[in-house]
Amino acid sequence: MTHHRSIAATAAAGTTFTARRTVAAMGCMLLLTAGASAHAAVCRVSSTGTEAGDGRTWAAATLLHSALARPTCSEIWIQQGTYKPTEGADRSIAFAINRPVKLYGGFAGTETALAQRSADSRLTVLSGDIGTPVVSADNSHHVVVIGGLGAGARAASVAGIYQPADTVIDGLSIVHGRADGASHASGGGLYCNGAGQGSVCSPSIANVSFRGNWARDDGGAVYSLGAAGGASSPGITQSTFIGNAVDGYGGAIASVGQGGTSNPAIAQSTFIGNASGRYGGAIASHGNAGTSSPRITQSTFSSNWAGDFGGALASVSSGSSGVSRPLLSQSTLIGNASDGYGGALSSLNFAGGGGQVAVVSSVIWGNTSVHGVQLDTTYSGKTSVQASILQGGCAAGPDCVGVINADPTPGSTLAGYGNSGGNGTQALLLLRRAQASLP
């Protein structure tokens, strides 16, 4: 009996040892796998990279399209240089973000940490100029597309939820997109697609320069679409929009709630020389059987132009179920123009729309329009202005509280006020006085 027990004990011990060895081996494998996954999470891209490169090192850099297509690349480091959606002539090809991923530009190609890259967004360029240089007619329709185009027909792997925590575009330029196709008429620079029930396009966009993008319908640089039960609320910070244009809505940005919601949050950004043939030289907010409520803070608008309404900003509500309610705070609108109404901004409510523009603690000065008003409420629009500097004071139309008409320019730089949030200059002192006058 003792002998048999010894054999059993030995067998049991052997089994236990084998099990422990197996568990240990599995643990090592898991550690190795976790290490490999962590390593593979960052993929490096360069303009001289190769399809075969795995992106784990700068020496093995891959292509941007390849990195975007690989599920293991959750963070993409892009070396300084210029990148185009295609080397061919197919204008429908864009840099497609079809899953949550983080794009960071500004790398020289030697960095081992994100903090080591350059902060200059001009050094890494995503360009739609795929055809003859300088000729825009053959440019890509969109430079970047998040979540595919349209709704319904999109694959489930494309349509989805893109949130600030997992979808990032940071430290680069997006230039020379031209959205002039039959099904590619909006978002020359970036098409942010929140169309379809449950779809969300709300990436974090920081330190990005949008230049020279054009669209026929909406959003020369950025098209934020919340449609058919979907939502689009990109967060845009410390970015610049220069020389973008559109025939329709929003020379730089169009926020469109079309049976859905679009609520972009725009902060510490600059809009210069953007143009629209119709609504919103820089930004157009359109609630069309849906809701659009962009929040704009500490931003500067200058030298933007609209053919019809809103040199800097136009808010349009279509119908009783369409609501546009932009909020503009701690910002500067100077030197914008409209060939129609609203040198600075226009608020329009069609067919009983209940939209309204709110302006708080901002500077509105030196904006011009053919019809002589800076703030336009021609089509039953509503605008409220609080604790702000408004050239000429508050004329008929807007509702004003704590508004003063005092030239803020002596000893101050208006163009710097919006981005800095005020620095003790004349403009800031006047704004404080206006705020103090609130009941």
Side-chain angles (χ1 to χ4, degrees), residues 18 31 89 113 124 139 144-145 157 171 196 210 236 249-250 265-266 297 324 337 419:
T18 303
L31 288 172
T124 303
N139 286 12
V144 179
V145 174
S157 60
F210 293 88
I236 301 172
Y249 289 75
I266 303 163
T297 61
S324 173
N419 288 332

Side-chain angles (χ1 to χ4, degrees), residues 256-351:
V256 178
Q258 187 172 319
T261 60
S262 177
N263 302 324
I266 303 163
Q268 299 177 332
S269 294
T270 303
F271 298 80
I272 301 173
N274 302 285
S276 167
R278 299 205 64 197
Y279 299 93
I283 297 176
S285 172
H286 190 190
N288 180 16
T291 301
S292 174
S293 300
R295 297 293 184 263
I296 306 161
T297 61
Q298 295 184 329
S299 294
T300 300
F301 298 78
S302 64
S303 302
N304 301 287
W305 172 88
D308 292 336
F309 298 96
L313 170 69
S315 171
V316 182
S317 298
S318 300
S320 58
S321 61
V323 178
S324 173
R325 291 183 174 272
L327 170 63
L328 186 74
S329 69
Q330 302 177 59
S331 295
T332 299
L333 287 73
I334 180 172
N336 303 284
S338 170
D339 281 1
Y341 298 85
L345 63 86
S346 287
S347 176
L348 306 97
N349 288 325
F350 295 118

